[in-house]
Amino acid sequence: MPPNTTASSGQKPGKSGRKKGRKARLFLIVLVLALFGGVAYGGYWGVSTVRASFPQTKGSLTLDGLSGPVDVKRDGNGIPQIYASSDEDLFMAQGYVQAQDRFYEMDVRRHMTSGRLSEMFGSSQVKNDEFLRTMGWDRVAKEEYDKKLSASTKKYLQAYAKGVNAYLKGKDGEDISLEYAALGFTNDYKPQEWTPVDSVAWLKAMAWDLRGNMQEEIDRSLMTSRLGPKQIADLYPEYPYSRNKTITQEGQYDSVTGSYVQGSSTTAGSGTQSTAGTGLAGNTTAPDGLQSQLSKLYNVLDNVPTAVGVNGNGIGSNSWVVAGEHTITNKPLLANDPHLSASLPSVWYQMGLHCTSVSSKCQYDVSGYTFAGMPGVVIGHNQDIAWGMTNSGVDVTDLYLEKITGEGYEYDGKVLPFTTRKETIKVAGGADKTIVVRETDDGMPLLSDRDDELVKVGKKATVDSGAPDRGDGYAIALRWTALDPGNSMDAVFQLDKASNWSEFRTAAASFDVPSQNLIYADTDNHIGYQLPGKIPTRSKGDDGSLPSPGWDSKYRWTGYIKQSELPYEYDPKRGYIVTANQAVVDKDKYPYTLTTDWGYGTRSQRISDLIEAKIKGGGKISTDDMRQMQLDDSSEIAKLIVPKLLKIDVADKNVRDAQKLLEGWDYTQDADSAAAAYFNATWRNILKLAFGNKLPKELRVEGQCLNVAPVDSTGPADENQTVRECGQREADQAQPDGGDRWFEVVRKIIDDQNNDWWKAPKTRLDKAADNRDELFARAMKDARWELTAKLGKDMDTWSWGRLHRLFLKNQTLGTEGPGVLQYMLNRGPWKLSGGEATVNATGWNAAGGYGVVWVPSMRMVVNLDDFDKSRWINLSGASGHAFSAHYTDQTDKWAKGELLPWSFSDKAVDKSTSDTLVLKP
């Protein structure tokens, strides 16, 4: 509880509680009773059902449609390596094997992407389905499949679907997974055949969770209800280009050729965009009524199930590549660890796809990480090249405020009709529901149609005098590159068989959404980087940082950046490339605004510093050095703040004892560190006192009630002026989240003792803080007593890992309901090292608590000198079956920072093989 917060007695449940109520409690109670009733009645019902769904991994099976035999070799962790003599056989076998291990997961994901979750889980998912149908991911995926993808890609998708369906043939739900057996007690749902479009649609879900700055766009607008333009600017400082290096450093835009070039070039010239946008009607603030509307929209977005991330917040990743001149092998080393939501099973699926003889008939010899439900390999290496990915964070979404008039919307003084379509949602155990989706002429769906409150508030929204009359109200529409058909599925197969830099860049050109930072290394000792993606250009003065007026054509997108104009780097002189969500290119070297919301470069600069220290020290970097860098948990914000904390004279002996924990601390956040626990608690309370308690209720943690200062004030207020407000956002989505944007906010004002942000009002227990040190002292005291309550009075028992814990939850039946069911499906906790904006990015949200929210979802280090000396690990395991030996068999090693051997050559794979299954025609 914040020092100046008084919790209301008898507090009503907030959004989270209401949402849990929607999760079909009755269904789950009936489910558990049925499960245990079945066990009692049938004796060994549970055991036989569990065993029935385990995959066959030895012997042989016949699959209709194969042209020749296929070997599936699994190692001791159940990771499959597939060997076939044709491309179609290879991908058909991939579909079969992934369905063996993960079909339930695949089925849930395709129901999510198509807006059909209600068919599986009933009325609790209708709202989600309405929103997903409005965006129409499956419709776009079908259009991609029908009109955009190459003939070979379609052939591979068809083969993959054939393999999945061969697995499903003749099986009842209980033969596929325990979850289907459970669903069978209350739902007559039966799994349907897999289609190629099901695989393509998964890329839309991936793009949604990696969509860029949409949350920041909403948050900035919501802030305008309590903060002025300068205060908001304080909380979104400019990227620190002089301190944290960009990804590309040896190239710039050439205005003469209209392309991005490496090395010396002419000036970047005058660009097509300004870096300082304006948003709504030239304002830096949003309309009054829009605050509530955007808050409602945020809640709708927050309820949409995540595919690979945390609804767009906090998603990061690390990847870097070091040239052979700096490695012990004299060949490149490449590391990657994407940071995503913790899920069970892991979003990633490890496997190898090998042609017994690479030829025009069978073109693939590739190994790495992919998604269950999608053919090919997304991240990994083949016999010639390796590649990794991090989220680029470029701005590919914009929100538009649309002026509704009758059956249409206003655009440049005219009323245009909406394009409409009807969507019927089938509901397990209930009546079908039909909705009408409205879209503008350029394909922007009206998100506000999906919430009655959005409609009501839209009718009351106000804008400046230059906007059209209110009429029937306003609505919010979404422009997003992923709602246009693209070729990303082509790119996956092109990457998998690329043999050099040129072919790699050709593949990248097809990777339109989501836009990712692609790093590269090859066996010929080259390294590189390419920014791919369909990235919009905007009119001058609009940077996409705030919602734009939809009635004015000058705020519509003007086109897309050409592939030849996108930043890249090849064999840079420094000998390494680091991508960790920092700015891609210096703003003075590029004419386009890629985004206004980069990560702030804390992780990327730390990685660069570690590499530079090794190089300048005369050392060579090894595979294990790369692994150790992935585990670096040094806190950059602690290095800035701790010296200030240690200078404060603390009167309270108990707080002073806690302060002493920081003396001599090396700023590493080991799981067993008491100093890390106390510092992070102090950091959390600094953020709460200085910023969190001054944010609007829409951004603060749900249920936390405060007497807050009047609007447009960051300082303390007279008690008679305060108003009572309770937070409205879920804990893992609230602000300030403590990420490196907040590092930069604090860095900007750390030496300004009397800055208004350091002021905090008095409470029943504390006097007002009037400067930095007074606020820091109060934060140290609050942290001491918070940890006393959480960890006990004896500081010898304190540790960061006791606060910072990871729970892995099955993402459907394991997220809600009776504890017995969760016990069956979920695993944990694990006490973790690392933290927010560290290289070992076990992320936590400082506004909501210390629990782990996102993690390095996998880790890999590729050795281009000898692929068999590469290493990898997954967050969970190969299997999605809850009682399989491979459900979470990698997690303990992952938590300790260990990596598994990664066999690639025939000899190495044979040596590591535990089980072999032969698939016969």
Side-chain angles (χ1 to χ4, degrees), residues 669-731:
Q669 300 171 93
D670 297 325
D672 60 358
S673 171
Y678 181 61
F679 171 75
N680 282 319
T682 300
W683 169 237
R684 165 174 147 82
N685 280 280
I686 288 172
L687 289 170
K688 187 186 299 184
L689 292 170
F691 309 105
N693 294 348
K694 300 161 188 174
L695 295 177
K697 58 183 181 295
E698 293 87 356
L699 274 67
R700 297 201 319 270
V701 175
E702 178 184 21
Q704 287 188 357
C705 300
L706 301 171
N707 292 323
V708 299
V711 171
D712 202 25
S713 173
T714 57
D718 183 274
E719 290 182 2
N720 296 325
Q721 294 177 310
T722 59
V723 293
R724 189 72 169 168
E725 288 186 351
C726 297
Q728 297 180 351
R729 190 168 288 187
E730 289 197 47

Side-chain angles (χ1 to χ4, degrees), residues 661 670-679 787 795-800:
L661 291 174
D670 297 325
D672 60 358
S673 171
Y678 181 61
F679 171 75
L787 294 196
M795 292 188 301
D796 289 340
T797 68
W798 289 5
S799 71
W800 177 225

Side-chain angles (χ1 to χ4, degrees), residues 418-440:
F418 287 108
T419 299
T420 62
R421 68 177 190 273
K422 290 185 178 181
E423 297 277 351
T424 300
I425 299 169
K426 297 184 181 299
V427 183
D432 294 354
K433 182 171 183 179
T434 299
I435 63 171
V436 175
V437 177
R438 295 189 291 177
E439 294 181 348
T440 64

Side-chain angles (χ1 to χ4, degrees), residues 35-56:
L35 281 171
F36 283 87
V39 171
Y41 183 80
Y44 291 96
W45 178 90
V47 175
S48 63
T49 300
V50 167
R51 289 177 176 172
S53 63
F54 283 5
Q56 179 179 339

Side-chain angles (χ1 to χ4, degrees), residues 78 211 245 251 291 295 439 481 530 557 651 671 704 714 740 822:
R211 62 192 176 270
K245 297 293 190 296
Q291 315 309 316
S295 180
E439 294 181 348
T481 54
Q530 176 68 58
W557 291 355
Q704 287 188 357
T714 57
D740 67 352
Q822 296 189 35

Side-chain angles (χ1 to χ4, degrees), residues 207-221 236 294 298 301 311-315 391-399 478-480 515 536 538 542-548 557 593-599 741:
W208 174 250
D209 285 342
L210 303 174
R211 62 192 176 270
N213 76 335
M214 187 169 169
Q215 303 303 158
E216 288 83 356
E217 191 171 337
I218 293 172
D219 285 358
R220 269 190 294 266
S221 298
Y236 288 90
L294 285 170
Y298 189 100
L301 300 180
N311 282 329
N313 276 344
I315 295 178
N391 194 26
S392 70
V394 298
D395 187 0
V396 295
T397 60
D398 276 343
L399 295 174
L478 171 68
R479 185 79 169 99
W480 179 32
S515 177
R538 298 172 175 86
D542 180 19
D543 64 1
S545 61
L546 285 169
S548 299
W557 291 355
T593 300
L594 295 171
T595 185
T596 59
D597 293 297
W598 300 114
R741 172 165 67 89

